[in-house]
Amino acid sequence: MVIVGIVAVCIVLAVLAFFVPRLSRHPERGTQRTLGVGSRMGGKAPGALGRIFSKPFRSSSKAVGSSGSAGRRARRRFPF
């Protein structure tokens, strides 16, 4: 269920970044900030559990950032 939610957020951010590049940065940063909080909370677990619990949040944050930048990059390459 969480994976579907992250995929949906990435798609929405990519479409938003394509159509309104300037306005897409605020939702992207907000999503990354929220995922960062989850990563920090998961990282407070002791030892290897901390790394295991925080990894999904880190990789989701990377995916959100790359989908937003991909939408803006595609917009730059378009001829209009």
Side-chain angles (χ1 to χ4, degrees):
M1 189 68 174
V2 174
I3 295 171
V4 173
I6 295 299
V7 169
V9 167
C10 288
I11 291 171
V12 167
L13 278 174
V15 170
L16 186 66
F18 183 78
F19 288 114
V20 246
R22 281 188 179 176
L23 297 179
S24 70
R25 293 204 185 261
H26 187 70
E28 179 183 344
R29 287 183 186 149
T31 306
Q32 285 181 335
R33 185 176 300 131
T34 303
L35 291 169
V37 169
S39 177
R40 284 192 300 276
M41 289 298 121
K44 289 185 187 249
L49 281 178
R51 287 189 297 277
I52 292 171
F53 288 157
S54 68
K55 185 176 180 180
F57 294 103
R58 284 193 315 256
S59 60
S60 297
S61 179
K62 286 182 194 177
V64 165
S66 66
S67 67
S69 66
R72 285 186 290 275
R73 193 171 48 245
R75 171 66 181 245
R76 275 195 307 258
R77 292 180 181 169
F78 247 64
F80 55 84

